[in-house]
Amino acid sequence: MSVLTPQSSSHFDVIIIGGGSLGQATAWQLGKRKVRTLVLEQFTFLNQLGSSGGVSRQFRIPYPEEYMVKLVKQSVPLWEELQALTPVPLQDKVGTLWFGDPTVHSTEGNIGEAEKALENQGVPFTTLDAGEIEKQYHFRNLPETYTGLFQPDGASINLRATLETLLQWNTLSSFVTLLDNAPVTTIVDNKTHFEVTTPQGNFTADKLVLTPGPFANSVFNLLNFQINATYWNMASAYFKVTQPGIQYPTWFVFQNPVDDHGSVNGNQFYGFPEVSWNYPGYVRVASDFVMADLSSPEQRTFVPNPKELGYTAQWVADHMTGLEPVPSFTSTCLVSLSTIKNKELLLGFAPEYVPNHHRITFCTTGWVGKFVPLMGRILSDLTVDGHTPYDISHFGARPNFFSAFTAAK
Ligand code: BEZ
């Protein structure tokens, strides 16, 4: 790792603000292109405080939108390139099982629409009825109307190993400098370059990449813009495996919200198989809804919502086999989601009213774990070339993605 002495002042081609998985992946790509890059992280590297927290993510190809299916497929060669840097498997390919009520259209999509998108993109999958899902994948008591699809390329991502691999490459690169415990307090646009202030020193760069995860607005506000997002303290539970050898795929169940004593609650859950890198002997199941969302990341407590956990445990007890029905451990992860309908991922250049916006790129919100190496590539393309061959037209800087922010004087 390049070491910066406190109060040092240095110029870089690019400063990346946010040293989680997206920031590290961008530094990897920029370093390969011999771009002198500084990565600033407000906490310590590998911290558990942002959206790179937790240990596993789902890699899945099914999406209701064809452009998303295409983008996940395009991430595969970049995952392979990253995998070549480490002997530790970054993915455990157990397949994706999407199942549930075929009439549900949720934030994650709809089963039938995903099947069409997969078909159009030539992605192999099999369709299943409720009986087949129960027989082949260990679920039980499913309504007869439930359908499903199994896509064999789905995987559990070892996010921790992914981050460690990137961090190690960047540490060894002579083009990448890493500095943690360095929250950015001001950004001044000096026309030809940006001046970035941290308690550990002031740095300048020709270009900025902003990858602050859920802390996006605290960085974007320094440049007088912000995005509209909501934040989830997403709760996971770990259930002990009691039936030796039982193996679940990564899965997601689509169900309509339920009316519980007058309050309508989410009813979608997702889960992982047992993985060697995270509580071996246990499987993780989580709710894909929150009962109390947060208006800022600072409101996060790390305490899982007991009602969300209760719903998850009830679903496991009712519908899964080979597991203890009561969770042994819990965890939370901070998720930020755009409040713009159907807009899970925001990516591109800063809005036009920000001076020198074409020298500032950003990526924030959404479920980006499966895209980590690809997002690094796209952000490095945009930063160095001003464009990318990947289709990011669905995520870019449209005026309604942003609102102006004026700092109090
Ligand atoms: C995803 O793969 O994007 C995802 C998986 C589980 C919950 C939410 C999103």
Side-chain angles (χ1 to χ4, degrees):
M1 190 182 305
S2 307
V3 177
L4 284 168
T5 52
Q7 301 309 319
S8 59
S9 176
S10 319
H11 184 78
F12 295 86
D13 298 323
V14 176
I15 294 177
I16 298 174
I17 302 177
S21 51
L22 294 186
Q24 297 296 339
T26 309
W28 170 48
Q29 293 291 333
L30 289 171
K32 284 197 302 170
R33 295 184 72 169
K34 301 190 176 4
V35 176
R36 284 168 309 132
T37 302
L38 170 65
V39 183
L40 296 175
E41 164 56 42
Q42 65 172 331
F43 307 120
T44 52
F45 291 121
L46 300 174
N47 71 74
Q48 290 293 304
L49 301 170
S51 47
S52 297
V55 197
S56 304
R57 293 290 185 276
Q58 290 192 0
F59 179 85
R60 52 128 169 163
I61 304 185
Y63 267 96
E65 304 92 359
E66 259 188 70
Y67 65 84
M68 292 298 276
V69 172
K70 203 167 159 189
L71 209 60
V72 193
K73 281 169 68 186
Q74 287 173 322
S75 76
V76 172
L78 287 143
W79 275 108
E80 286 167 358
E81 191 183 340
L82 188 59
Q83 181 62 76
L85 303 180
T86 177
V88 180
L90 300 181
Q91 294 192 0
D92 182 15
K93 199 162 142 180
V94 287
T96 300
L97 177 66
W98 265 27
F99 69 103
D101 182 339
T103 65
V104 167
H105 291 258
S106 77
T107 44
E108 285 5 294
N110 163 269
I111 298 171
E113 285 173 9
E115 285 175 352
K116 270 199 206 99
L118 291 173
E119 246 159 41
N120 291 345
Q121 285 294 316
V123 177
F125 67 95
T126 46
T127 52
L128 304 145
D129 62 26
E132 289 166 330
I133 298 164
E134 291 184 354
K135 203 158 150 220
Q136 294 174 38
Y137 298 107
H138 322 297
F139 293 93
R140 67 189 183 115
N141 293 335
L142 300 179
E144 273 177 15
T145 51
Y146 276 21
T147 61
L149 73 86
F150 180 78
Q151 204 296 317
D153 299 301
S156 300
I157 298 171
N158 185 341
L159 184 68
R160 178 87 185 183
T162 301
L163 251 171
E164 283 170 351
T165 305
L166 289 165
L167 195 58
Q168 195 188 9
W169 193 95
N170 290 334
T171 301
L172 296 174
S173 167
S174 52
F175 289 94
V176 179
T177 303
L178 299 166
L179 190 62
D180 59 3
N181 292 308
V184 172
T185 49
T186 63
I187 302 175
V188 176
D189 174 9
N190 258 343
K191 299 211 167 33
T192 55
H193 61 268
F194 297 98
E195 287 176 14
V196 175
T197 309
T198 80
Q200 298 215 48
N202 304 332
F203 309 99
T204 57
D206 303 336
K207 294 178 178 175
L208 298 177
V209 177
L210 313 179
T211 49
F215 304 95
N217 279 339
S218 62
V219 175
F220 296 175
N221 288 353
L222 301 174
L223 291 158
N224 300 324
F225 71 99
Q226 62 187 4
I227 50 139
N228 301 317
T230 182
Y231 305 89
W232 288 8
N233 190 33
M234 201 167 206
S236 290
Y238 294 81
F239 296 85
K240 192 172 174 31
V241 176
T242 52
Q243 185 182 321
I246 195 166
Q247 184 65 305
Y248 282 95
T250 57
W251 58 271
F252 192 102
V253 63
F254 292 79
Q255 306 184 119
N256 276 317
V258 283
D259 189 342
D260 180 18
H261 304 103
S263 72
V264 178
N265 294 310
N267 193 20
Q268 307 203 111
F269 303 94
Y270 65 97
F272 294 80
E274 186 181 342
V275 287
S276 58
W277 61 81
N278 189 24
Y279 293 125
Y282 295 80
V283 301
R284 176 179 151 213
V285 182
S287 52
D288 185 44
F289 59 88
V290 284
M291 305 194 70
D293 54 351
L294 314 174
S295 54
S296 79
E298 289 71 30
Q299 293 174 345
R300 192 219 184 151
T301 61
F302 293 92
V303 179
N305 182 305
K307 274 197 129 187
E308 287 167 27
L309 285 178
Y311 282 115
T312 304
Q314 191 60 53
W315 200 86
V316 169
D318 291 345
H319 298 293
M320 296 182 75
T321 61
L323 306 176
E324 264 180 15
V326 176
S328 301
F329 318 102
T330 61
S331 68
T332 61
C333 172
L334 184 60
V335 176
S336 65
L337 296 171
S338 163
T339 50
I340 299 169
K341 204 168 176 311
N342 299 331
K343 204 48 73 189
E344 72 169 42
L345 170 64
L346 301 180
L347 161 72
F349 292 100
E352 276 180 20
Y353 57 79
V354 175
N356 290 310
H357 68 102
H358 57 284
R359 291 198 273 121
I360 307 168
T361 53
F362 75 94
C363 182
T364 187
T365 71
W367 312 106
V368 286
K370 63 184 83 60
F371 292 119
V372 163
L374 177 64
M375 288 302 139
R377 175 65 169 273
I378 290 172
L379 287 166
S380 104
D381 287 347
L382 294 178
T383 302
V384 179
D385 307 325
H387 54 86
T388 178
Y390 300 95
D391 177 11
I392 57 162
S393 59
H394 305 273
F395 317 118
R398 306 221 180 86
N400 70 327
F401 288 8
F402 304 103
S403 40
F405 174 86
T406 311
K409 299 271 180 240

